[in-house]
Amino acid sequence: MGHAIHRFRPPLDSVYQQRKLQGSNRSNYANYGSLLLDTINTSTIIIRAQKRWRIAICSIRFVVSLAREINSQFYSTLAIQPSCSQYGGTSCELHQDLITSTDITKAQKRWRIACLVIGSIRFMVSLTREIQTEQNSHDSVILKSPFHTAPKVEPSSSNHGENECLPDSLYPTIDQLALTEIVKEKDLTALLRLGGVGKIAAALYTDPENGIYGNDHEISRRHEMFGTNTYRRPPPKGFLFFVLEAFKDTTILILLVCATLSLGFGIKTHGVQDGWYEGGSIFVAVFLVVVVSALSNFRQERQFDKLSKLSNNIKVDVLRDARRHKISIFDIVVGDVIFLNIGDQIPADGLFLDGHSLLINESSMTGESDPVEVNSTENPFLFSGSKVADGYGRMLVTSVGMNTAWGEMMSSISGDSNERTPLQARLDKLTSSIGKIGLVVAFLVLVVLLIRYFTGNTQDKNGKKEYNGSQTDLDDVFNAVVRIVAAAVTIVVVAIPEGLPLAVTLTLAYSMKRMMADQAMVRKLSACETMGSATIICTDKTGTLTLNEMKVSKFWLGQDSIEEDSTLVDAANVVSLLHQGVGLNTTGTVYIPASGSGPEISGSPTEKALLSWAILQLGMDVEKLKQGYRILHVETFNSDKKRSGVAIRKSADNTIHVHWKGAAEIILAMCSSYCESSGITKSLDGDRFKIEKIIQGMAASSLRCIAFAHKEISEEEMGCHKDESKHQLRKEGLTLLGIVGLKDPCRPGVKKAVETCRLAGVDIKMITGDNVFTAKAIATECGILDPNHQVNGNEVVSGADFRNYTHEERMEKVEMIRVMARSSPFDKLLMVQCLKQKGHVVAVTGDGTNDAPALKEADIGLSMGIQGTEVAKESSDIVILDDDFTSVATVLRWGRCVYNNIQKFIQFQLTVNVAALVINFIAAVSAGKVPLTAVQLLWVNLIMDTLGALALATERPTDELMQRSPVGRTAPLITNIMWRNLLAQALFQISVLLTLQFKGESIFNVNEE
């Protein structure tokens, strides 16, 4: 008994400390009571049923040993019957006569022991009642109650009621902070001490096979308990911040000083009623300029914040109510089961449930670029913000939002909306150059006016000299100097075209907003303007040029075409193998509603089409299939291998089977035999060419060809190691099971969009992973290849051929290539590099993780919003939200519009700047005064910089823009036509205004009064 109790008991100090903190006063015999209570509180990994039996056994042994001790002591001391109650008072008196004072003490001890036994029995009874009524105890470190087995969620077509949710008593059982620390620290020992991932899932009331309940009541309670999957952001910059930023401009500060001095001297000279006009007008004009500029920047900041929230709103697949749902990353709660595939971003911290070949890139958290293998035995920990590099799996969410390391890091980072685009950088240089010219002119005007004033060559309104040496009042001299300085500073304000950066900001912000409405989300500002210069667009086929709505339209078994209504009775063994190859070698999921309606299939379009075909045409039962086989190893599909494989063990006979699925010609090359429609296996030696022709014929009909192959192998061939990463799948000598053709129709408006790009001088190149025949058929259907023109060998190439060219051959042929088939991500990257070396501005579309290098290398990276992985989106500049090539053409229109609007504003701005500078300089040198005062120039500046920018920066694109040639990489910002218009307009304005300045009185027969 002592050993049994000792095994469960924690250190006594901690026991007494806990009892003291809890204020426990169960009885005067708490030493023995706490002994039993400790049995419950210390061993959290033992299930409740085991604990109850052990408590009962410990209690029985304890009572029996105490009874034996009382019995033996009583006989040895008194040598009479042990039951005192039978003898009444006589035996008690006899007892007192026989014993000494020491014996009295022993008697007291015996009575205390007897009371203690009774107290222990009472405590055991009360403890049993407590176990039955309470589902949780109190003092565990992580899980404050023994684990419950999560009830299985019954599939139902209707939502669960509010009563079908987590019971109230379970919510206090999870210590979120301690659980978070275990995951953050990757403390595998602590995790195993708690019973592993399965016990954590049970404590979170999550059924790994069915997920959590998905009703609103359940989700809101998990939000209250564990928090939401959002993180605190630094407060956004308010309007006042941008007002203060505008006031930091040097010229604005000088103007404010001049306005203050002008206001003071004006009031002193002419009184308050008449003296405030000039200084007050300068103040009003300056404040208007500041407010309009701050308002524009504030609206831009708000727009960037909205776009940032949209770009961070990632969609993830979760399991709730036994169904697979696609929800926002912000709606994830602790206890959710998340599906992970290649390229996905891990949305929260959690633990690995199941999966295969899962490699995680944790560089965003640890800085290590090498992927980390995640499995259930050695490293089941997953961190928010990491990316799935390979494989697939499912995870259990344990921490969300600010409880994750990613949330803590992101809460301290503010989004940077001060990105300077290449065009903005060029405009900054232009502004600086014009500003320097303005400074020189303003300095010359200042010097000329001061010389004329102090030499007595200026006159007041009465025709008297303004400066008469020592006779002139000092206040008048100071006031005149302030007026001259204000005029010179105002010339600088007008000369510096600060409206240029404002115009760029406005047109970019406006374009981003409108492009969002046109299904294009801009991630990097530079892409807006760079897209207008694009000369070549390299586009994917699937989902971009086509609808990405796959359907099996043809099936070949051997050399026989199987019709859709065929039941394949003669090849039942082949059907069984096809069930395995489709149902187990997949990343899709199937849910059969209890209502009896059709199956709900989730996954990629290809997986959905194959699963639907196998269920509806081949009669596949997914649940039965999964129960009869166990997956041993998986090689996931990616765009390099273009195939996926799985090794499974059949439960009935313990045999191992390998199944491969992928591009038809790649799988065919791995096979040495094939199955006929009768189910007989034949050698491929004499029939390989015929099957290749079948594949080519299907591809020429614009079908995507997928082949299935199988091989039964031995334990030795499999290499059955405990380490799954060492498993090897058989890749040769396979048996071809069949070939399916998937039809993916072209998008309705893609042919017109391709034609529009062609008319705009932009060449379209299709880069696809499909074979040459399928690629050629789709390219012809989309208008990339001319159906009336004989395609030569340089227009359509395979990725392998392009890769094997010498550098000189690639540079020579790259511009002639229109279609590249069976390409890998490296081939796409290679083409982009060659095109850039030829001087082209290249835009590239991509959706896979391996497309990231090409998206980064391109001048404009365009990722797909629906099928694109998070890795591809983060590597891109613009996300095409609807995956439609028509939206790519729309982005091209907006890019040209941005460039065109900025050029128009430059022409307008410089025309006014040149005219104002020349007029003021000539008038100051010749007449000694400027025709345009500081107030007038500031109002001109206000209208010209802010209102002009608002008007010209928000013009929408026209069809005329798409009839021009691309701008190109090295085209000048101010073209020859712009210089012609600018100089002609400026000369006209200068001529008219100078004529009015010097001859206006005589022409109109008026005087200065």
Side-chain angles (χ1 to χ4, degrees):
M1 181 194 73
H3 292 296
I5 295 176
H6 180 72
R7 187 166 48 194
F8 295 105
R9 187 174 62 188
L12 288 176
D13 291 343
S14 65
V15 173
Y16 293 138
Q17 220 169 9
Q18 291 172 0
R19 297 297 163 268
K20 186 177 179 181
L21 289 174
Q22 293 176 359
S24 176
N25 54 358
R26 294 181 180 271
S27 69
N28 295 327
Y29 314 103
N31 292 341
Y32 292 97
S34 49
L35 203 63
L36 295 173
L37 187 60
D38 291 337
T39 308
I40 305 168
N41 293 333
T42 55
S43 180
T44 58
I45 63 174
I46 302 173
I47 63 174
R48 180 173 293 277
Q50 292 174 331
K51 282 188 177 181
R52 288 175 178 170
W53 281 108
R54 292 181 181 181
I55 291 170
I57 291 171
C58 289
S59 301
I60 291 169
R61 289 180 177 176
F62 180 70
V63 173
V64 170
S65 64
L66 285 176
R68 286 175 178 172
E69 185 179 352
I70 293 170
N71 192 38
S72 60
Q73 289 183 359
F74 200 86
Y75 270 106
S76 61
T77 306
L78 300 178
I80 59 176
Q81 294 296 326
S83 177
C84 186
S85 61
Q86 294 178 2
Y87 295 90
T90 305
S91 63
C92 291
E93 291 174 1
L94 177 64
H95 174 74
Q96 291 179 0
D97 292 336
L98 294 175
I99 59 176
T100 61
S101 59
T102 305
D103 294 328
I104 294 174
T105 304
K106 291 181 178 179
Q108 291 175 344
K109 285 183 178 180
R110 286 197 297 272
W111 279 108
R112 289 176 181 174
I113 291 172
C115 292
L116 186 59
V117 171
I118 295 171
S120 299
I121 295 172
R122 286 181 176 177
F123 177 78
M124 186 176 67
V125 173
S126 65
L127 188 61
T128 305
R129 291 172 181 170
E130 183 180 347
I131 292 173
Q132 292 175 348
T133 56
E134 294 184 5
Q135 294 298 315
N136 307 298
S137 55
H138 299 285
D139 297 319
S140 176
V141 178
I142 305 300
L143 307 176
K144 302 177 184 176
S145 73
F147 290 102
H148 295 264
T149 301
K152 187 173 181 179
V153 180
E154 292 296 334
S156 174
S157 57
S158 61
N159 292 332
H160 292 279
E162 287 193 0
N163 59 328
E164 294 177 306
C165 61
L166 207 61
D168 294 345
S169 61
L170 194 63
Y171 273 90
T173 68
I174 305 296
D175 187 339
Q176 179 65 39
L177 293 178
L179 185 57
T180 299
E181 283 302 314
I182 287 179
V183 177
K184 284 183 181 178
E185 301 298 328
K186 291 189 174 184
D187 193 343
L188 186 60
T189 305
L191 180 63
L192 294 176
R193 193 163 56 241
L194 296 174
V197 179
K199 297 297 184 180
I200 297 290
L204 293 173
Y205 216 71
T206 298
D207 184 349
E209 298 303 320
N210 298 309
I212 64 172
Y213 291 111
N215 57 65
D216 294 338
H217 184 64
E218 172 73 1
I219 300 304
S220 62
R221 293 185 66 182
R222 288 183 183 267
H223 279 158
E224 293 173 7
M225 179 63 188
F226 304 111
T228 59
N229 198 30
T230 56
Y231 47 84
R232 292 188 297 270
R233 286 182 173 274
K237 299 172 184 176
F239 176 71
L240 185 60
F241 172 83
F242 294 102
V243 171
L244 296 175
E245 283 294 309
F247 273 117
K248 292 179 181 179
D249 187 84
T250 307
T251 55
I252 293 294
L253 292 176
I254 295 174
L255 277 175
L256 286 174
V257 172
C258 293
T260 304
L261 294 175
S262 178
L263 183 63
F265 285 112
I267 292 174
K268 183 178 180 181
T269 305
H270 304 289
V272 177
Q273 188 172 358
D274 298 324
W276 68 272
Y277 292 143
E278 186 170 357
S281 299
I282 296 175
F283 268 120
V284 172
V286 168
F287 276 111
L288 279 174
V289 170
V290 167
V291 168
V292 172
S293 175
L295 184 62
S296 299
N297 290 329
F298 176 67
R299 291 183 62 187
Q300 173 204 350
E301 182 77 10
R302 294 283 297 273
Q303 181 69 24
F304 289 151
D305 285 342
K306 289 180 181 178
L307 289 174
S308 176
K309 290 177 182 177
L310 285 172
S311 63
N312 292 330
N313 188 16
I314 301 167
K315 299 296 182 181
V316 294
D317 286 333
V318 302
L319 184 66
R320 291 180 181 176
D321 295 326
R323 295 188 182 185
R324 188 166 175 168
H325 301 269
K326 191 173 285 291
I327 65 171
S328 168
I329 188 175
F330 304 126
D331 296 331
I332 290 173
V333 295
V334 169
D336 262 327
V337 176
I338 308 292
F339 293 88
L340 300 175
N341 289 301
I342 295 179
D344 287 350
Q345 176 177 315
I346 297 176
D349 285 1
L351 299 169
F352 176 82
L353 280 174
D354 53 50
H356 297 278
S357 308
L358 190 62
L359 295 178
I360 303 298
N361 183 351
E362 297 180 352
S363 59
S364 58
M365 297 297 298
T366 64
E368 296 292 334
S369 58
D370 293 334
V372 177
E373 183 179 357
V374 175
N375 52 47
S376 57
T377 55
E378 298 177 358
N379 179 28
F381 305 102
L382 293 160
F383 296 113
S384 175
S386 304
K387 307 293 190 305
V388 181
D390 198 6
Y392 66 88
R394 298 189 308 152
M395 67 173 284
L396 172 70
V397 175
T398 58
S399 304
V400 294
M402 291 302 298
N403 291 323
T404 66
W406 179 258
E408 292 175 2
M409 182 176 69
M410 293 303 293
S411 64
S412 62
I413 300 175
S414 59
D416 183 15
S417 61
N418 298 320
E419 173 195 354
R420 306 302 291 174
T421 70
L423 184 56
Q424 283 178 320
R426 292 171 69 182
L427 287 176
D428 288 343
K429 292 181 180 179
L430 179 63
T431 301
S432 176
S433 301
I434 297 174
K436 291 175 182 177
I437 297 173
L439 280 172
V440 172
V441 173
F443 179 75
L444 292 175
V445 169
L446 176 67
V447 171
V448 170
L449 290 179
L450 287 175
I451 291 174
R452 290 182 64 87
Y453 175 77
F454 285 109
T455 55
N457 291 321
T458 57
Q459 298 176 346
D460 58 16
K461 294 180 180 179
N462 300 323
K464 298 179 181 179
K465 289 195 300 182
E466 286 187 302
Y467 182 76
N468 294 313
S470 58
Q471 298 178 5
T472 306
D473 188 22
L474 188 61
D475 288 345
D476 293 336
V477 173
F478 198 75
N479 195 18
V481 171
V482 168
R483 188 174 65 252
I484 293 170
V485 171
V489 171
T490 307
I491 290 174
V492 175
V493 173
V494 176
I496 297 176
E498 65 268 17
L500 282 179
L502 176 62
V504 176
T505 300
L506 286 174
T507 191
L508 288 175
Y510 176 76
S511 299
M512 287 170 66
K513 184 177 180 180
R514 299 304 307 180
M515 287 167 72
M516 177 65 72
D518 290 337
Q519 302 300 314
M521 183 178 71
V522 178
R523 288 176 50 84
K524 297 180 182 177
L525 277 175
S526 58
C528 285
E529 61 199 40
T530 311
M531 193 65 187
S533 305
T535 57
I536 288 178
I537 299 176
C538 298
T539 177
D540 285 336
K541 176 187 76 69
T542 305
T544 307
L545 298 174
T546 61
L547 288 171
N548 208 11
E549 295 175 358
M550 304 283 187
K551 182 182 179 182
V552 176
S553 60
K554 279 192 177 182
F555 174 48
W556 285 78
L557 190 55
Q559 300 183 44
D560 299 324
S561 177
I562 307 299
E563 301 298 329
E564 289 188 12
D565 56 353
S566 175
T567 57
L568 300 177
V569 176
D570 295 335
N573 59 327
V574 179
V575 173
S576 176
L577 292 173
L578 285 171
H579 286 176
Q580 300 169 28
V582 176
L584 300 175
N585 186 14
T586 181
T587 56
T589 58
V590 179
Y591 171 73
I592 308 296
S595 60
S597 57
E600 297 177 8
I601 303 173
S602 304
S604 68
T606 303
E607 297 288 1
K608 288 166 67 176
L610 293 174
L611 287 170
S612 177
W613 168 71
I615 292 171
L616 300 178
Q617 299 295 327
L618 303 183
M620 181 177 70
D621 187 337
V622 179
E623 289 301 321
K624 185 178 179 181
L625 188 68
K626 289 183 178 179
Q627 292 172 6
Y629 298 88
R630 184 169 67 88
I631 296 177
L632 301 177
H633 182 64
V634 172
E635 285 196 19
T636 53
F637 178 90
N638 62 42
S639 51
D640 283 327
K641 298 180 292 186
K642 293 182 172 51
R643 68 189 181 196
S644 64
V646 63
I648 58 175
R649 186 186 296 276
K650 190 175 182 179
S651 303
D653 54 12
N654 216 29
T655 55
I656 298 176
H657 301 262
V658 172
H659 285 272
W660 284 96
K661 173 185 72 179
E665 63 269 30
I666 293 176
I667 297 298
L668 180 62
M670 299 164 62
C671 296
S672 59
S673 59
Y674 71 97
C675 285
E676 291 186 321
S677 57
S678 60
I680 300 173
T681 302
K682 287 187 64 177
S683 174
L684 269 173
D685 293 339
D687 297 326
R688 186 179 297 272
F689 179 75
K690 295 178 182 178
I691 294 180
E692 288 176 350
K693 283 295 182 183
I694 291 173
I695 295 172
Q696 293 174 11
M698 294 171 68
S701 301
S702 67
L703 298 180
R704 169 176 284 188
C705 301
I706 304 293
F708 298 92
H710 162 263
K711 181 73 175 178
E712 182 177 338
I713 63 173
S714 63
E715 299 273 354
E716 291 76 17
E717 289 178 288
M718 178 65 192
C720 288
H721 307 277
K722 291 183 179 180
D723 186 358
E724 185 186 328
S725 62
K726 296 181 180 179
H727 289 173
Q728 296 293 326
L729 297 187
R730 181 75 174 267
K731 297 182 178 64
E732 68 281 333
L734 307 178
T735 300
L736 182 68
L737 296 178
I739 304 168
V740 297
L742 301 175
K743 180 66 176 177
D744 186 14
C746 286
R747 289 185 178 272
V750 71
K751 191 169 185 178
K752 184 178 179 181
V754 170
E755 184 181 353
T756 301
C757 292
R758 285 272 182 82
L759 292 174
V762 179
D763 193 18
I764 308 297
K765 299 183 184 298
M766 188 177 82
I767 304 176
T768 178
D770 281 332
N771 66 34
V772 173
F773 299 97
T774 304
K776 193 184 298 184
I778 293 292
T780 304
E781 193 176 343
C782 294
I784 296 175
L785 293 176
D786 188 353
N788 301 319
H789 176 68
Q790 182 66 34
V791 178
N792 60 50
N794 292 328
E795 289 184 317
V796 180
V797 299
S798 68
D801 292 339
F802 183 76
R803 197 184 317 132
N804 293 328
Y805 287 155
T806 63
H807 179 70
E808 292 74 18
E809 287 177 325
R810 277 197 294 268
M811 295 299 291
E812 180 185 349
K813 297 179 179 181
V814 69
E815 290 181 313
M816 294 184 287
I817 295 173
R818 291 176 179 269
V819 176
M820 184 160 67
R822 280 289 179 247
S823 64
S824 68
F826 175 75
D827 300 328
K828 184 184 288 189
L829 175 63
L830 202 57
M831 175 171 275
V832 171
Q833 291 172 339
C834 291
L835 290 171
K836 288 182 70 176
Q837 290 172 21
K838 297 283 284 187
H840 290 284
V841 178
V842 186
V844 172
T845 68
D847 56 6
T849 303
N850 293 333
D851 289 328
L855 290 170
K856 288 183 177 179
E857 179 69 23
D859 295 285
I860 311 102
L862 304 163
S863 64
M864 301 296 107
I866 299 174
Q867 291 300 318
T869 63
E870 290 307 314
V871 174
K873 291 176 185 177
E874 288 193 1
S875 302
S876 66
D877 305 303
I878 298 174
V879 180
I880 305 300
L881 299 177
D882 58 358
D883 290 13
D884 193 345
F885 184 80
T886 306
S887 299
V888 177
T890 303
V891 171
L892 181 64
R893 286 167 60 92
W894 275 108
R896 293 193 173 190
C897 180
V898 168
Y899 205 86
N900 187 62
N901 288 349
I902 292 171
Q903 283 186 320
K904 282 192 282 188
F905 182 76
I906 290 173
Q907 183 175 309
F908 166 74
Q909 172 98 61
L910 294 186
T911 300
V912 180
N913 278 18
V914 171
L917 282 176
V918 172
I919 291 168
N920 270 15
F921 178 73
I922 293 175
V925 173
S926 59
K929 60 181 180 180
V930 291
L932 298 174
T933 64
V935 177
Q936 292 170 330
L937 285 175
L938 280 172
W939 281 104
V940 169
N941 184 71
L942 174 65
I943 296 170
M944 178 177 62
D945 282 351
T946 54
L947 301 181
L950 282 170
L952 294 175
T954 54
E955 287 194 12
R956 302 200 65 173
T958 61
D959 292 336
E960 182 191 356
L961 291 174
M962 298 300 286
Q963 296 173 2
R964 303 177 185 175
S965 299
V967 175
R969 189 183 299 276
T970 58
L973 190 58
I974 304 177
T975 63
N976 294 333
I977 296 176
M978 289 175 64
W979 279 118
R980 182 198 65 191
N981 296 339
L982 189 155
L983 293 176
Q985 287 287 336
L987 286 174
F988 172 74
Q989 292 179 24
I990 291 168
S991 301
V992 172
L993 292 175
L994 286 179
T995 301
L996 294 176
Q997 170 68 18
F998 295 107
K999 297 294 182 179
E1001 293 181 11
S1002 59
I1003 291 174
F1004 295 103
N1005 196 22
V1006 294
N1007 55 38
E1008 191 175 351
E1009 294 288 329

